[in-house]
Each structure stands twice: as structure tokens, then as C-alpha cells.
Amino acid sequence: MFLSLIVIVLGYAGLYIQPSGYSLIGVRTSIVRSGSMSGTFEPGDIIVSYYHNNQIYTPGDIVTFKRNNSVVTHRITRESITEDGAYFTRGDSNSVDDGETLNKEQIIGKYLFKIPMLGFLAAKLQTDTGLIGAICFILVFLLLGAIIREWKENSTIKGELSKNEEK
């Protein structure tokens, strides 16, 4: 029963974990789609980041930001020496900084932690086939649980009946 509850919760969560991220009270989840941060997190990981208005960012911080209709998570390598407050970012597995600087207004979260490999399941649950498969799995699991419970109850009743007959 506990396992089926976990599967239901993960399935429900999977519907909301989008590549572009879902934000709830400043907490955002995203599925890692590329290897640009390989070593820190891998494709298929879910990353969780947090945003608030007064957040301070320094070199070394990993931030999630919007750029060209995409959501990217990279590390801040350095700040611009100009007064525009721009940051230079780079994926950990890249050898050079990203081509464009990053303004604070583009940042939508600061990396908190990752959940390894769960993004593959979440991404699959977002497809019709994956969702139907998950529902079928849950129904079969619940049906098997009911059958086992029924079998145990019948075994217990038969055991009590045979004890009563022996007396």
C-alpha cells in the first residue's frame, strides 16, 4: 500500500515537473536535458532551485535562468566589471563561458539540490503512453494487494476452523 502511494505521488508530481520548470513559493523544479553541467548533475536528474527578490549571487553559484525562450542552469564564473551587474556563466563541462552575459532579471532560481535520475520517470509520465502505463501499474498493484489480503484472510479463517474442528 505504501509503495502504491509513493507511485501515485511521484506520478502526480511528474505531471508538474516541466523542462521549463514549475514554481511553487519560489521553489522551481527542472529536468536536466543536456550534459553541460555533467559532473554536478546529469541528464535525467531533477534539480530544485529557489528564488527570492533579494537573492545575492556570487561566482561559484549555480543559477537557473531564462535565455532565448529556454531555461538554462549554469554556474556563475565571474561578475562583469561594468556597473550593469551582469554575470558570466558556464556549464561545468564546457571549456568557455556562455556567449552572452546574464542580467539578474533573467535569473529565476539558485540551485539547491538534485534528485538523481527521477527526471526520466517524470518525463515519461508526461506522455500519454507513460501516464496510461503508470495508471495500469497502479491498478494492477492495488488489485494484487487486494488478492493477497483476501488470500491471507481465507487462510486465517481456514486455520481457525481446523483448530475448532480438532477440539
Side-chain angles (χ1 to χ4, degrees):
M1 185 64 174
F2 181 70
L3 181 60
S4 62
L5 181 61
I6 290 172
V7 171
I8 291 169
V9 168
L10 289 177
Y12 184 72
L15 296 175
Y16 292 100
I17 298 172
Q18 303 291 327
S20 61
Y22 173 76
S23 181
L24 176 67
I25 315 173
V27 176
R28 174 177 300 277
T29 57
S30 302
I31 299 173
V32 177
R33 300 285 186 185
S34 77
S36 68
M37 288 292 291
S38 195
T40 304
F41 35 82
E42 306 297 330
D45 291 351
I46 290 178
I47 56 172
V48 178
S49 55
Y50 176 74
Y51 175 82
H52 69 83
N53 291 335
N54 298 322
Q55 187 83 38
I56 297 172
Y57 305 104
T58 58
D61 288 345
I62 299 173
V63 294
T64 301
F65 54 92
K66 289 188 177 183
R67 178 177 286 155
N68 303 328
N69 296 325
S70 297
V71 174
V72 179
T73 302
H74 279 173
R75 189 179 305 275
I76 295 175
T77 56
R78 57 194 165 102
E79 292 182 56
S80 172
I81 57 172
T82 62
E83 291 185 25
D84 63 358
Y87 301 98
F88 291 89
T89 57
R90 176 190 316 167
D92 285 357
S93 64
N94 297 339
S95 58
V96 295
D97 286 346
D98 297 337
E100 302 174 38
T101 57
L102 174 67
N103 294 316
K104 189 173 182 176
E105 294 77 34
Q106 293 172 274
I107 297 175
I108 56 176
K110 185 175 180 178
Y111 172 76
L112 292 174
F113 62 91
K114 70 177 179 179
I115 305 170
M117 306 304 285
L118 191 59
F120 289 126
L121 175 63
K124 186 67 175 171
L125 287 173
Q126 293 171 5
T127 66
D128 292 340
T129 306
L131 186 58
I132 291 169
I135 290 169
C136 289
F137 175 79
I138 291 167
L139 291 175
V140 166
F141 188 78
L142 292 174
L143 180 62
L144 285 174
I147 290 170
I148 291 170
R149 267 193 311 280
E150 187 69 27
W151 178 75
K152 283 183 178 180
E153 287 175 11
N154 286 340
S155 296
T156 304
I157 291 171
K158 286 180 184 177
E160 289 175 5
L161 288 176
S162 65
K163 285 181 185 177
N164 288 337
E165 289 176 4
E166 290 176 4
K167 290 182 183 179

